Amino acid sequence: MPNLARTRSSGPVERIQNPGMLAEVAAGLSSPQKELSPKFFYDQRGSELFEAITRLPEYYPTRTERALLAGWMPELMRQLGTRTLIELGAGNAEKSRIILDAMRATGLAEMYVPIDVSGTFLSQTAAQLRREYPGLTVEPAVADISIELNLPRHLPRPALFAFLGSTIGNFYPPAAIRLLARVRAAMEPGDRFLLGVDLRKDIARIEAAYNDSQGLTAEFNRNMLLVLNHELGADFDPDAFAHRAFYDTVTHRIEMHLVSTRAQVVEIPGLEPIPLAAGESIRTEISTKYDRDSVAACFAAAGLRIEAWPRDPLTPFGLVLGVRA
Ligand code: SAH
Ligand code: AVI
């Protein structure tokens, strides 16, 4: 979450300093299928809940991607001689350490630029990495990557732009392509793009990953309402919403919704009251699953091409290396 500056006015009401967030929420909640951006999941608690999700037995993407990185990065970093790692949606940078270790082993690691919308969490990650990697310049950038990358002016090259965890799947196709094009525009010859994508597979396995038996994903989903309450002074009652996640076979994506369990009216200061019927839902996330053709099509539309995709047919997750087309 962007750190929203708030000031105490003379009265009891806090003045919201982020009209952008209010406008985005207003637009999403006034469309026929009510919708909120998944970037609103990630305050401190949301980031911690996501971390806990990655350790769930049902949530295969993180551990699969970690194994793929461990198998490939030492050789790839030797081949590329990467000096800078730029990571979109870095989160806790747990898997990034595999890349950083491989860079350090070549003696060329100079800079790490973790980019994330969750400012406080990002600062903690950066501070921890500075302790772990003395000599590495860590330059965190707080940015909404759907709008900008906010990169430092000088980046030692060659650079590796990484977008891991299948976060690309959380963007609708046009936004995903705009995002890849933004990365492409920041790349110089010799730079590479490393994309982690969740793959199409057995539906039951995908649905189980978003409907875990401990209910952590449900808590993560409802946390977005607490974020809106905190940041915008909304009065959502999280207990009045049920978690729903299902796979859509036409669009090849998980959809996560919060379903209103009763007729209710939500108040957000500055907006008209928002009525919700019993059973009406707010879509909070899509998580698109890819295959080779759909990745190649997105890359082509963004001016990139697949350079390498060491695919084990049994792996439920893909690591794709891209280069400027
Ligand atoms: N890369 C990590 C974290 C994935 S969770 C991993 O693979 O485990 C998704 C991360 O992307 C979160 O840290 C979240 O704060 C960040 N994020 C989501 N939407 C974003 C946006 N629009 N701009 C920047 N960061 C975003
Ligand atoms: C961050 N992102 C790739 C996760 C995903 O799988 O789409 C977020 C998530 N939502 C529910 N569980 C995890």
mmCIF file of all heavy atoms in Angstrom, residues 42-60:
data_model
loop_
_atom_site.group_PDB
_atom_site.id
_atom_site.type_symbol
_atom_site.label_atom_id
_atom_site.label_comp_id
_atom_site.label_asym_id
_atom_site.label_seq_id
_atom_site.Cartn_x
_atom_site.Cartn_y
_atom_site.Cartn_z
ATOM 1 N N TYR A 42 -2.200 -5.105 0.329
ATOM 2 C CA TYR A 42 -0.859 -5.172 0.904
ATOM 3 C C TYR A 42 -0.484 -4.034 1.842
ATOM 4 O O TYR A 42 0.428 -3.275 1.567
ATOM 5 C CB TYR A 42 0.174 -5.301 -0.219
ATOM 6 C CG TYR A 42 -0.031 -6.547 -1.049
ATOM 7 C CD1 TYR A 42 -0.740 -6.485 -2.254
ATOM 8 C CD2 TYR A 42 0.441 -7.771 -0.615
ATOM 9 C CE1 TYR A 42 -0.952 -7.631 -3.010
ATOM 10 C CE2 TYR A 42 0.232 -8.920 -1.368
ATOM 11 C CZ TYR A 42 -0.458 -8.838 -2.556
ATOM 12 O OH TYR A 42 -0.670 -9.968 -3.293
ATOM 13 N N ASP A 43 -1.220 -3.923 2.981
ATOM 14 C CA ASP A 43 -0.646 -3.147 4.081
ATOM 15 C C ASP A 43 0.278 -4.120 4.829
ATOM 16 O O ASP A 43 0.517 -5.250 4.349
ATOM 17 C CB ASP A 43 -1.742 -2.549 4.979
ATOM 18 C CG ASP A 43 -2.557 -3.609 5.706
ATOM 19 O OD1 ASP A 43 -2.443 -4.811 5.344
ATOM 20 O OD2 ASP A 43 -3.299 -3.268 6.632
ATOM 21 N N GLN A 44 0.785 -3.728 5.980
ATOM 22 C CA GLN A 44 1.713 -4.599 6.712
ATOM 23 C C GLN A 44 1.086 -5.976 6.957
ATOM 24 O O GLN A 44 1.685 -7.019 6.690
ATOM 25 C CB GLN A 44 2.075 -3.923 8.046
ATOM 26 C CG GLN A 44 3.029 -4.700 8.926
ATOM 27 C CD GLN A 44 4.473 -4.639 8.435
ATOM 28 O OE1 GLN A 44 4.820 -3.763 7.638
ATOM 29 N NE2 GLN A 44 5.287 -5.581 8.874
ATOM 30 N N ARG A 45 -0.175 -5.962 7.445
ATOM 31 C CA ARG A 45 -0.817 -7.246 7.777
ATOM 32 C C ARG A 45 -1.058 -8.072 6.516
ATOM 33 O O ARG A 45 -0.851 -9.282 6.504
ATOM 34 C CB ARG A 45 -2.137 -6.972 8.510
ATOM 35 C CG ARG A 45 -2.869 -8.240 8.891
ATOM 36 C CD ARG A 45 -3.965 -7.985 9.924
ATOM 37 N NE ARG A 45 -4.636 -9.215 10.288
ATOM 38 C CZ ARG A 45 -5.751 -9.645 9.729
ATOM 39 N NH1 ARG A 45 -6.327 -8.934 8.766
ATOM 40 N NH2 ARG A 45 -6.303 -10.780 10.108
ATOM 41 N N GLY A 46 -1.474 -7.398 5.441
ATOM 42 C CA GLY A 46 -1.717 -8.109 4.186
ATOM 43 C C GLY A 46 -0.445 -8.752 3.663
ATOM 44 O O GLY A 46 -0.453 -9.888 3.188
ATOM 45 N N SER A 47 0.676 -8.025 3.759
ATOM 46 C CA SER A 47 1.951 -8.580 3.290
ATOM 47 C C SER A 47 2.338 -9.789 4.136
ATOM 48 O O SER A 47 2.844 -10.795 3.615
ATOM 49 C CB SER A 47 3.051 -7.517 3.359
ATOM 50 O OG SER A 47 2.727 -6.429 2.511
ATOM 51 N N GLU A 48 2.078 -9.692 5.454
ATOM 52 C CA GLU A 48 2.405 -10.826 6.329
ATOM 53 C C GLU A 48 1.486 -12.012 6.054
ATOM 54 O O GLU A 48 1.916 -13.163 6.059
ATOM 55 C CB GLU A 48 2.308 -10.393 7.800
ATOM 56 C CG GLU A 48 3.472 -9.486 8.187
ATOM 57 C CD GLU A 48 3.285 -8.771 9.522
ATOM 58 O OE1 GLU A 48 2.316 -9.077 10.246
ATOM 59 O OE2 GLU A 48 4.111 -7.893 9.815
ATOM 60 N N LEU A 49 0.210 -11.721 5.782
ATOM 61 C CA LEU A 49 -0.711 -12.817 5.459
ATOM 62 C C LEU A 49 -0.293 -13.499 4.160
ATOM 63 O O LEU A 49 -0.349 -14.722 4.042
ATOM 64 C CB LEU A 49 -2.152 -12.295 5.342
ATOM 65 C CG LEU A 49 -2.870 -12.064 6.670
ATOM 66 C CD1 LEU A 49 -4.160 -11.271 6.457
ATOM 67 C CD2 LEU A 49 -3.179 -13.408 7.353
ATOM 68 N N PHE A 50 0.143 -12.686 3.175
ATOM 69 C CA PHE A 50 0.587 -13.311 1.921
ATOM 70 C C PHE A 50 1.799 -14.207 2.178
ATOM 71 O O PHE A 50 1.885 -15.324 1.653
ATOM 72 C CB PHE A 50 0.914 -12.278 0.834
ATOM 73 C CG PHE A 50 1.454 -12.954 -0.397
ATOM 74 C CD1 PHE A 50 0.625 -13.699 -1.223
ATOM 75 C CD2 PHE A 50 2.817 -12.921 -0.695
ATOM 76 C CE1 PHE A 50 1.127 -14.390 -2.321
ATOM 77 C CE2 PHE A 50 3.325 -13.599 -1.787
ATOM 78 C CZ PHE A 50 2.477 -14.323 -2.602
ATOM 79 N N GLU A 51 2.716 -13.720 3.024
ATOM 80 C CA GLU A 51 3.887 -14.539 3.388
ATOM 81 C C GLU A 51 3.438 -15.883 3.966
ATOM 82 O O GLU A 51 3.984 -16.929 3.623
ATOM 83 C CB GLU A 51 4.669 -13.803 4.487
ATOM 84 C CG GLU A 51 6.059 -13.410 4.111
ATOM 85 C CD GLU A 51 6.764 -12.695 5.274
ATOM 86 O OE1 GLU A 51 6.215 -12.538 6.377
ATOM 87 O OE2 GLU A 51 7.900 -12.282 5.058
ATOM 88 N N ALA A 52 2.435 -15.830 4.837
ATOM 89 C CA ALA A 52 1.932 -17.065 5.457
ATOM 90 C C ALA A 52 1.276 -17.967 4.404
ATOM 91 O O ALA A 52 1.431 -19.197 4.446
ATOM 92 C CB ALA A 52 0.952 -16.727 6.580
ATOM 93 N N ILE A 53 0.588 -17.353 3.438
ATOM 94 C CA ILE A 53 -0.036 -18.136 2.352
ATOM 95 C C ILE A 53 1.031 -18.920 1.592
ATOM 96 O O ILE A 53 0.832 -20.082 1.230
ATOM 97 C CB ILE A 53 -0.823 -17.196 1.398
ATOM 98 C CG1 ILE A 53 -2.105 -16.721 2.067
ATOM 99 C CG2 ILE A 53 -1.132 -17.881 0.060
ATOM 100 C CD1 ILE A 53 -2.848 -15.635 1.290
ATOM 101 N N THR A 54 2.186 -18.281 1.363
ATOM 102 C CA THR A 54 3.219 -18.945 0.552
ATOM 103 C C THR A 54 3.752 -20.210 1.226
ATOM 104 O O THR A 54 4.391 -21.022 0.580
ATOM 105 C CB THR A 54 4.422 -18.006 0.257
ATOM 106 O OG1 THR A 54 5.074 -17.681 1.486
ATOM 107 C CG2 THR A 54 3.989 -16.744 -0.463
ATOM 108 N N ARG A 55 3.492 -20.336 2.532
ATOM 109 C CA ARG A 55 3.976 -21.530 3.233
ATOM 110 C C ARG A 55 2.898 -22.610 3.361
ATOM 111 O O ARG A 55 3.146 -23.683 3.904
ATOM 112 C CB ARG A 55 4.491 -21.134 4.620
ATOM 113 C CG ARG A 55 5.765 -20.286 4.559
ATOM 114 C CD ARG A 55 6.411 -20.133 5.920
ATOM 115 N NE ARG A 55 5.684 -19.192 6.770
ATOM 116 C CZ ARG A 55 5.946 -17.890 6.842
ATOM 117 N NH1 ARG A 55 6.922 -17.360 6.124
ATOM 118 N NH2 ARG A 55 5.251 -17.104 7.638
ATOM 119 N N LEU A 56 1.683 -22.323 2.884
ATOM 120 C CA LEU A 56 0.587 -23.288 2.998
ATOM 121 C C LEU A 56 0.849 -24.515 2.127
ATOM 122 O O LEU A 56 1.384 -24.377 1.018
ATOM 123 C CB LEU A 56 -0.723 -22.651 2.516
ATOM 124 C CG LEU A 56 -1.376 -21.615 3.423
ATOM 125 C CD1 LEU A 56 -2.493 -20.903 2.661
ATOM 126 C CD2 LEU A 56 -1.914 -22.272 4.687
ATOM 127 N N PRO A 57 0.436 -25.700 2.585
ATOM 128 C CA PRO A 57 0.630 -26.886 1.747
ATOM 129 C C PRO A 57 -0.074 -26.758 0.390
ATOM 130 O O PRO A 57 0.447 -27.215 -0.629
ATOM 131 C CB PRO A 57 0.007 -28.026 2.571
ATOM 132 C CG PRO A 57 -0.616 -27.412 3.773
ATOM 133 C CD PRO A 57 -0.144 -25.991 3.907
ATOM 134 N N GLU A 58 -1.233 -26.100 0.354
ATOM 135 C CA GLU A 58 -1.988 -26.013 -0.913
ATOM 136 C C GLU A 58 -1.384 -25.005 -1.888
ATOM 137 O O GLU A 58 -1.632 -25.078 -3.079
ATOM 138 C CB GLU A 58 -3.440 -25.563 -0.645
ATOM 139 C CG GLU A 58 -4.291 -26.522 0.153
ATOM 140 C CD GLU A 58 -4.342 -26.126 1.626
ATOM 141 O OE1 GLU A 58 -3.365 -25.490 2.117
ATOM 142 O OE2 GLU A 58 -5.344 -26.451 2.281
ATOM 143 N N TYR A 59 -0.606 -24.036 -1.380
ATOM 144 C CA TYR A 59 -0.132 -22.947 -2.254
ATOM 145 C C TYR A 59 1.208 -23.351 -2.875
ATOM 146 O O TYR A 59 2.287 -23.035 -2.360
ATOM 147 C CB TYR A 59 -0.035 -21.632 -1.467
ATOM 148 C CG TYR A 59 0.059 -20.423 -2.385
ATOM 149 C CD1 TYR A 59 -1.070 -19.940 -3.053
ATOM 150 C CD2 TYR A 59 1.278 -19.789 -2.616
ATOM 151 C CE1 TYR A 59 -0.986 -18.861 -3.919
ATOM 152 C CE2 TYR A 59 1.370 -18.708 -3.484
ATOM 153 C CZ TYR A 59 0.232 -18.248 -4.124
ATOM 154 O OH TYR A 59 0.321 -17.175 -4.991
ATOM 155 N N TYR A 60 1.133 -24.034 -4.013
ATOM 156 C CA TYR A 60 2.324 -24.600 -4.673
ATOM 157 C C TYR A 60 3.216 -23.553 -5.362
ATOM 158 O O TYR A 60 4.412 -23.802 -5.568
ATOM 159 C CB TYR A 60 1.898 -25.650 -5.736
ATOM 160 C CG TYR A 60 0.954 -25.047 -6.752
ATOM 161 C CD1 TYR A 60 1.443 -24.355 -7.859
ATOM 162 C CD2 TYR A 60 -0.415 -25.089 -6.562
ATOM 163 C CE1 TYR A 60 0.578 -23.733 -8.749
ATOM 164 C CE2 TYR A 60 -1.289 -24.474 -7.454
ATOM 165 C CZ TYR A 60 -0.785 -23.807 -8.542
ATOM 166 O OH TYR A 60 -1.632 -23.182 -9.417
#
